[in-house]
Amino acid sequence: MGDPAATLRRVFGYDSFRPLQREIIEGLIDGQDAFVLMPTGGGKSLCFQIPALHRPGTAIVVSPLISLMKDQVDALRMAGVQAAAYDSALDPHQARHVLARLHAGELKLLYVAPERLMSDSFLERLTGLCPSLFAIDEAHCISQWGHDFRPEYLALARLRTLFPNVPLIALTATADAQTRQDVRRRLGLLNAPCYVASFDRPNLRLTVVEKRKPVAQLTQFLTAHPGEAGIVYCLSRQKTEEVAKRLAAAGVPAAAYHAGLPAARRSEVQEAFLRDDLRVVVATVAFGMGIDKPNVRFVVHFDLPKHIESYYQEVGRAGRDGLPAEALLLFAYADIARVRALIEAGQDPDQTRVELHKLNAMVGFADAQTCRRRVLLGYFGEPLEQDCGNCDICLDPPECYDATLDAQKALSCVYRVGQRFGMGHVVDVLRGAHTTRIRQLGHDRLSTYGIGSRLSADAWLGLLRQLIHLGYLEQDIARYSVLRLTPKAGPLLRGEKSLTLARPRTRVFATNRMDAAADEESTGSKCKRKREHPAPTSKTVAVPAPEEALFQTLRELRRRIATEQRVPAYVVFSDATLRAMAAVRPLTEDDMLSISGVGAYKLAKYGREFLAVIKENPGTEASVQT
């Protein structure tokens, strides 16, 4: 059937696989099932797209959004792959044409929504066609523990029974341990290989600041990102429109996007953003799931997200090309009450409990005094043993203190209450609260009752969160978020090691990285964290003027081509590919094929025009300096 690596180079223009991709692809080609957890921008789509090109028949890809289907189909077609979407946006004539191509064996991939796939009429069609594979994207939607549970996904559990010999791959970018297990159980994948890639995106700088004058803070942030594309997420439709108007009045090309706008307007905003005609989209979470635009340089959360999963998925839309990108969260405690009210308005008590647990974890991230990347990766079960060097905590460390005794008190209390209670109850016992529940349980007779009365409830909650972030405690979402000791807690409890933690502080917004560095330099009381491997991509990139000029010329050519063909600009070539062209300055077709992102189909379609521009703009060979 050929070498998958050759397909990667010839069709998609890449020289090497990312971690886990080759193993997943070869297994699927051989007919194996798989569960894949890979971060946004980690290359999930190639894990089923390449096997689809190597197996006979049509691959059926389940996707929840029309925009997501359109984006992937457009990119595949631009790479010369026969792909289509069968969705509600098609008129009857278009729908019949897609089905005719399916029955004629002309399609290698067909994208379809879960409810349409599981309809009796569509399943009957597939029975006679024998699909090459099933790929379930956004697979977390099938789990009640997931952050975006969708009932229509539950029917997909029948696929294993209906098509026992067709390989099935389930993929998601965001799922905690409980969600992963639930997805695998529902889809009959408990015995299938489970591939979990690293969640770390070292090129993405994580920053949380106290929300004071949010529009002014946002405008100030955008001033440091001139000409760059980004997304600003707001909690409500009304706020998206207000913020977009304020930005536009300040001279920032911005537009609102939310589900309440007419479909034509939403499409207009999205297309303008994808074509690079619009710099900033101010949106609710209705925007972004189908956006694979690789040159998004920043994502700002104007309001607190409901959970870490959505935060991680949304910030993951920045820097997909691997170049430096920023994620800024404006955090105010008043936002917690607003999000909590939205969650508690739900009708399902179990779902409400799960979502409140996830909200508390999100607050813990926003309020963290430890390296944010360690908190983020720890939530997904990926320990990071040292600080990242590319978040606001690492770049501007808080004051630290010896917290060994307080930590021992907290861990001992968790143990004394039987590791069967959540944070609130543990704090009440530590502070000696006089509650009926504590008396009924006899916890007022524990040795840890009242030993922490000198600290406030907020201080104990903050300390418990830090112990969770650092891996001394864990929360069990399936058992009402009870706290449990981890093996790491033993040496600390026995006094075999000490622990230094950060004191809570009020954060201020630095206008740029130079200001943040100056603040760190001038503050003598800061606890300087040891950073043995600061992320190299976080450094300021100095691009030589000739290279930058050629890059901008190539971008203009790309924009013109994309406008003529009515496709997103990055579908032609990504910014990373154009920057490589500007640096290497290929002069022949063979030279052009050496550029990452240039495959045989795109070379034949666009190579001559881009080579002509490069030859018209000669210059000395340039290189990116860091």
Side-chain angles (χ1 to χ4, degrees):
M1 300 294 288
D3 181 8
T7 304
L8 180 73
R9 174 70 260 180
R10 175 177 52 84
V11 178
F12 300 99
Y14 300 118
D15 289 323
S16 60
F17 289 106
R18 294 182 181 181
L20 298 181
Q21 281 184 328
R22 181 161 200 145
E23 188 177 351
I24 296 166
I25 288 167
E26 290 179 345
L28 201 57
I29 291 174
D30 289 341
Q32 298 177 10
D33 297 334
F35 175 83
V36 175
L37 182 62
M38 197 172 279
T40 301
K44 291 190 300 299
S45 299
L46 287 179
C47 292
F48 59 81
Q49 290 172 348
I50 291 180
L53 299 178
H54 282 254
R55 290 179 59 84
T58 303
I60 306 300
V61 183
V62 180
S63 186
L65 287 180
I66 292 175
S67 59
L68 187 59
M69 298 185 210
K70 181 180 183 303
D71 190 71
Q72 292 206 14
V73 169
D74 282 346
L76 285 167
R77 287 175 175 169
M78 295 296 282
V81 177
Q82 297 300 312
Y86 184 56
D87 56 54
S88 58
L90 303 178
D91 62 37
H93 173 73
Q94 292 171 322
R96 286 193 298 270
H97 179 64
V98 169
L99 292 177
R101 294 184 68 199
L102 172 65
H103 283 278
E106 297 176 1
L107 297 174
K108 293 308 294 179
L109 295 104
L110 179 65
Y111 287 73
V112 61
E115 58 271 26
R116 180 159 294 208
L117 167 62
M118 300 310 296
S119 66
D120 291 339
S121 60
F122 197 84
L123 288 173
E124 187 176 346
R125 290 180 186 277
L126 292 184
T127 302
L129 292 174
C130 189
S132 62
L133 61 91
F134 288 105
I136 301 176
D137 205 3
E138 309 295 341
H140 59 270
C141 294
I142 200 173
S143 173
Q144 65 171 326
W145 304 106
H147 67 284
D148 192 20
F149 173 61
R150 300 190 179 207
E152 62 269 23
Y153 260 67
L154 291 175
L156 296 173
R158 296 175 56 207
L159 288 176
R160 275 296 61 182
T161 304
L162 296 172
F163 301 91
N165 298 318
V166 178
L168 185 151
I169 180 171
L171 310 99
T172 179
T174 46
D176 56 22
Q178 189 77 28
T179 303
R180 297 174 209 174
Q181 189 71 3
D182 196 33
V183 170
R184 297 175 68 198
R185 179 182 61 81
R186 290 178 183 272
L187 292 176
L189 298 176
L190 288 176
N191 295 322
C194 180
Y195 300 95
V196 180
S198 172
F199 282 84
D200 196 7
R201 293 278 303 280
N203 64 311
L204 189 59
R205 174 165 295 179
L206 306 175
T207 303
V208 180
V209 300
E210 182 184 5
K211 184 192 288 189
R212 293 181 175 179
K213 297 180 179 179
V215 175
Q217 289 172 297
L218 175 59
T219 304
Q220 195 175 39
F221 175 81
L222 295 179
T223 301
H225 293 266
E228 295 180 350
I231 305 170
V232 178
Y233 285 106
C234 297
L235 194 60
S236 69
R237 299 175 181 181
Q238 180 181 353
K239 191 172 290 185
T240 64
E241 296 187 3
E242 292 174 354
V243 172
K245 287 178 181 178
R246 295 281 294 274
L247 291 179
V252 178
Y257 184 106
H258 57 74
L261 292 172
R265 176 56 181 166
R266 293 201 305 273
S267 178
E268 178 185 345
V269 171
Q270 179 166 314
E271 291 301 318
F273 184 65
L274 295 178
R275 291 194 308 266
D276 291 338
D277 293 337
L278 181 65
R279 180 185 165 197
V280 177
V281 172
V282 185
T284 59
V285 292
F287 182 81
M289 199 172 189
I291 301 301
D292 285 337
K293 182 180 171 72
N295 65 328
V296 174
R297 297 268 62 86
F298 60 84
V299 167
V300 178
H301 282 89
F302 199 83
D303 299 309
L304 184 73
K306 292 170 65 176
H307 30 65
I308 287 181
E309 287 91 340
S310 61
Y311 169 82
Y312 181 78
Q313 193 170 45
E314 287 153 14
V315 299
R317 288 162 191 152
R320 293 170 66 102
D321 52 11
L323 300 177
E326 302 257 2
L328 171 66
L329 167 61
L330 302 179
F331 175 53
Y333 283 95
D335 287 347
I336 302 172
R338 284 190 283 270
V339 176
R340 183 181 292 274
L342 290 174
I343 292 173
E344 292 178 340
Q347 302 300 312
D348 185 339
D350 288 335
Q351 195 65 29
T352 298
R353 176 173 63 84
V354 171
E355 291 190 19
L356 287 175
H357 167 90
K358 291 180 178 292
L359 171 61
N360 289 336
M362 184 67 230
V363 172
F365 169 82
D367 203 32
Q369 299 300 308
T370 53
C371 168
R372 296 206 190 276
R373 205 172 309 271
R374 295 181 73 172
V375 177
L376 190 62
L377 299 183
Y379 179 83
F380 292 110
E382 180 181 347
L384 187 64
E385 296 304 322
Q386 48 192 340
D387 294 350
C388 72
N390 197 26
C391 71
D392 59 308
I393 297 294
C394 288
L395 294 170
D396 185 19
E399 180 185 348
C400 297
Y401 73 107
D402 184 349
T404 305
L405 182 59
D406 287 342
Q408 288 171 333
K409 290 178 180 179
L411 295 173
S412 179
C413 190
V414 171
Y415 178 78
R416 297 292 177 189
V417 299
Q419 304 182 75
R420 293 171 40 244
F421 295 87
M423 293 174 67
H425 185 76
V426 170
V427 170
D428 282 346
V429 174
L430 283 166
R431 300 190 71 245
H434 301 286
T435 68
T436 301
R437 189 181 188 211
I438 285 179
R439 289 194 298 274
Q440 289 175 339
L441 292 168
H443 288 174
D444 55 339
R445 298 190 296 274
L446 296 176
S447 59
T448 52
Y449 179 75
I451 62 173
S453 58
R454 68 180 182 82
L455 293 181
S456 68
D458 284 343
W460 279 117
L461 287 171
L463 184 140
L464 287 170
R465 289 190 185 111
Q466 290 194 63
L467 292 176
I468 292 170
H469 299 159
L470 294 173
Y472 294 96
L473 290 172
E474 63 184 10
Q475 288 180 293
D476 187 346
I477 184 176
R479 296 180 59 229
Y480 297 87
S481 303
V482 301
L483 292 174
R484 291 195 303 226
L485 303 179
T486 70
K488 190 175 179 180
L492 182 57
L493 269 173
R494 294 191 295 268
E496 297 169 4
K497 65 174 296 184
S498 60
L499 180 65
T500 298
L501 294 180
R503 294 190 188 279
R505 66 177 181 183
T506 299
R507 300 181 190 89
V508 296
F509 183 70
T511 56
N512 55 45
R513 300 173 189 173
M514 304 246 337
D515 288 348
D519 287 345
E520 181 175 333
E521 197 67 33
S522 64
T523 306
S525 62
K526 301 281 179 67
C527 170
K528 304 299 183 183
R529 300 185 182 276
K530 185 178 180 182
R531 297 197 297 273
E532 297 179 358
H533 68 306
T537 50
S538 70
K539 296 179 183 178
T540 302
V541 177
V543 182
E547 180 181 321
E548 182 64 24
L550 178 55
F551 169 67
Q552 295 299 338
T553 303
L554 294 173
R555 284 190 74 191
E556 179 56 31
L557 172 60
R558 180 186 65 178
R559 189 197 64 78
R560 179 177 59 78
I561 292 173
T563 300
E564 291 172 355
Q565 299 188 2
R566 297 183 178 181
V567 295
Y570 63 84
V571 167
V572 179
F573 287 123
S574 70
D575 271 14
T577 298
L578 295 187
R579 285 206 177 277
M581 289 183 191
V584 176
R585 294 179 180 265
L587 299 177
T588 68
E589 291 189 354
D590 285 343
D591 292 341
M592 185 69 89
L593 276 175
S594 70
I595 302 295
S596 179
V598 181
Y601 186 84
K602 286 189 177 182
L603 175 67
K605 194 165 186 177
Y606 307 120
R608 187 172 301 174
E609 291 182 85
F610 281 86
L611 282 170
V613 168
I614 293 168
K615 290 174 182 177
E616 290 169 3
N617 292 268
T620 57
E621 186 173 343
S623 61
V624 178
Q625 301 173 349
T626 59

